[in-house]
Amino acid sequence: MSPESRPSAARSPTGSPCRSEAPRTELGILLGGGGARAAYQVGVLRALAESCPEMAPPFLGGVSAGSINVAFLANQEMGLAAATDGLRALWAGLDITHVIETGLFRVVGRMLGAAVHLSIGTPPGSRRARSMVDNRPLRAFLSDALKVGDDGRLPGVEANLAAGRLRGVGITTFCFTRGRTVTFVAGPEVTPWERPRRESRTVRLGLDHVMASAALPLLFPPVRIDTCWYGDGGIRLVAPLGPILHLGAGRILAISTHFTGSDAEASVTQDEAPSPALILASLYNHIFNDELDQDLRHLERVNRLLRHVPVEERMGLREVDLMVVRPSENLGEMAREHEARLPRTLRFFLRRFGTDQARSHDFLSTLMFDPAYVARLIELGERDGRARSRELADFVRGPAPTGRP
């Protein structure tokens, strides 16, 4: 079984392709990062909801921008179809002014301040620059969209856990203070875990956890929770599948924002030194994609080995079914076509960073919170999801119970 697909399973005798009757193989959905590219996940989820409107995955895991989608879904007391409609409306109403301050003086001041601090350090008597842009608009937008309570919590998550509609939700962050990956977990049945440089913390999930997980390195400021400063969950996340497995998932549907259709750009000769945009694109691709791809291959190797080991000798290891959905088109190239729609001041600074050069469009795509671009990503996700609708439905339903067709 390749990490991209699995054999199609037979449909259940009831005719429903979406309800699993095997508790040990309960479904977990994992949504990774990519900034604005996370809109692609919305389209795939909507296509899945068309095939399986009654589906209610018990485990949800999010990293970086994927944590925004997870928080929204986990916070809705409704079925998947209605929840994904709401998620689409959230993204459709999002533009760059809802994410960062775009005023001329704020953009210039923030960018210049970051450049000064990076080049000569912090001048005496001045505050250290914590990020390249001010993302307070995103906090206000999400607070309203997620209907955050006065205490900063996500009330729908707790209601869904109490009602049994969810069993576990995880939002992964990175603690700069301690140099550890921390997954904030909600779910009374989830067993806490600790591994080298990564651990879980059981909490009442709130907006701070989402903002911390989605704090793009260098671009967005870290978020303080208790005594630690937290940032993007993809930083040093060597085992992206780990949190959703620890939650209890026996099958994982991972929706990636990484296009892998062509390596042509890798052979392009570049005479000039790489621009900051290209360096950041390489950094972000490593954070959002490379470790996930490596973990997928590792899981497949473990699965193959376990098939040759008697159950009683597996030392607690178990086979895990996996399905990955990826974009069928290059999301970076799509972002380049929409670059002119960004505010002029922001566009000026991004071009100074080198986003107008070839091979740097992946960085541009993380900030392309433009309604037209977002709409294209959602449409692409729907198209890719519908192209694999039967496979998705079979995977969501899970293996046929023993003794049945």
Side-chain angles (χ1 to χ4, degrees):
M1 181 176 68
S2 74
E4 302 297 327
S5 61
R6 65 186 296 274
S8 295
R11 297 171 76 90
S12 71
T14 64
S16 169
C18 305
R19 293 191 181 279
S20 171
E21 300 181 49
R24 290 177 299 174
T25 60
E26 287 184 299
L27 177 68
I29 293 182
L30 174 63
L31 303 179
R37 287 181 289 181
Y40 172 81
Q41 299 167 349
V42 180
V44 177
L45 290 169
R46 280 176 54 81
L48 179 58
E50 290 176 359
S51 300
C52 304
E54 73 275 27
M55 187 193 75
F59 303 108
L60 296 172
V63 182
S64 193
S67 66
I68 296 174
N69 293 335
V70 161
F72 186 91
L73 294 175
N75 202 43
Q76 304 302 307
E77 300 177 50
M78 59 184 72
L80 179 67
T84 55
D85 283 344
L87 188 58
R88 186 187 188 284
L90 181 151
W91 279 91
L94 185 66
D95 64 31
I96 192 66
T97 63
H98 294 123
V99 179
I100 63 173
E101 292 282 0
T102 59
L104 173 63
F105 294 107
R106 288 190 178 275
V107 172
V108 172
R110 200 87 174 195
M111 290 284 188
L112 290 179
V116 168
H117 291 303
L118 286 172
S119 60
I120 66 174
T122 307
S126 66
R127 295 183 61 184
R128 182 181 298 275
R130 293 172 54 205
S131 64
M132 292 169 59
V133 296
D134 183 348
N135 68 340
R136 281 179 292 184
L138 179 61
R139 174 178 285 273
F141 179 84
L142 291 180
S143 180
D144 181 63
L146 297 173
K147 296 180 172 57
V148 175
D150 294 337
D151 58 357
R153 308 300 180 189
L154 304 177
V157 175
E158 297 177 18
N160 285 326
L161 288 168
R165 290 185 289 267
L166 280 174
R167 292 184 55 197
V169 183
I171 290 179
T172 299
T173 65
F174 179 76
C175 176
F176 291 104
T177 310
R178 301 173 58 233
R180 296 177 71 87
T181 296
V182 178
T183 300
F184 291 105
V185 172
E189 300 177 14
V190 178
T191 302
W193 71 85
E194 183 170 0
R195 298 291 184 271
R197 294 291 180 182
R198 53 193 175 98
E199 62 189 43
S200 69
R201 290 191 185 176
T202 303
V203 297
R204 296 173 60 198
L205 286 175
L207 181 58
D208 278 348
H209 304 117
V210 179
M211 291 295 297
S213 181
L216 292 165
L218 299 179
L219 279 174
F220 294 170
V223 177
R224 184 167 186 170
I225 302 174
D226 298 326
T227 60
C228 284
W229 289 96
Y230 293 90
D232 195 290
I235 301 174
R236 204 189 287 180
L237 182 57
V238 296
L241 299 176
I244 197 75
L245 288 170
H246 282 297
L247 289 178
R251 287 173 293 126
I252 301 172
L253 172 61
I255 305 178
S256 172
T257 62
H258 188 203
F259 171 74
T260 58
S262 172
D263 293 325
E265 290 185 350
S267 61
V268 174
T269 301
Q270 184 167 320
D271 295 329
E272 298 181 1
S275 67
L278 181 54
I279 293 172
L280 283 173
S282 300
L283 171 66
Y284 285 3
N285 276 332
H286 175 71
I287 289 175
F288 300 139
N289 304 311
D290 294 348
E291 294 295 349
L292 174 61
D293 292 342
Q294 180 63 31
D295 211 18
L296 294 173
R297 295 187 182 93
H298 175 70
L299 178 61
E300 282 301 314
R301 288 194 294 268
V302 172
N303 278 342
R304 287 197 296 270
L305 287 172
L306 288 177
R307 294 181 192 122
H308 300 283
V309 178
V311 174
E312 63 274 12
E313 297 180 13
R314 292 183 178 181
M315 303 176 64
L317 297 176
R318 56 191 169 93
E319 287 189 61
V320 177
D321 253 352
L322 176 67
M323 182 173 177
V324 184
V325 180
R326 301 180 186 275
S328 59
E329 298 181 23
N330 190 320
L331 305 190
E333 284 299 313
M334 290 170 60
R336 179 183 59 81
E337 299 171 17
H338 292 264
E339 188 230 13
R341 296 174 58 91
L342 288 174
R344 181 178 300 177
T345 306
L346 181 61
R347 191 166 70 247
F348 172 82
F349 276 99
L350 288 176
R351 287 183 175 179
R352 299 290 77 74
F353 268 68
T355 56
D356 56 338
Q357 296 179 359
R359 300 179 60 211
S360 63
H361 308 313
D362 282 349
F363 171 63
L364 177 65
S365 69
T366 63
L367 281 178
M368 188 53 66
F369 292 94
D370 170 70
Y373 179 65
V374 165
R376 285 187 65 185
L377 295 191
I378 294 175
E379 290 170 4
L380 178 63
E382 291 176 341
R383 196 160 62 245
D384 290 349
R386 287 168 185 155
R388 303 178 67 180
S389 59
R390 177 59 184 269
E391 186 183 4
L392 277 167
D394 287 340
F395 183 84
V396 165
R397 182 182 59 83
T402 304
R404 295 192 179 185

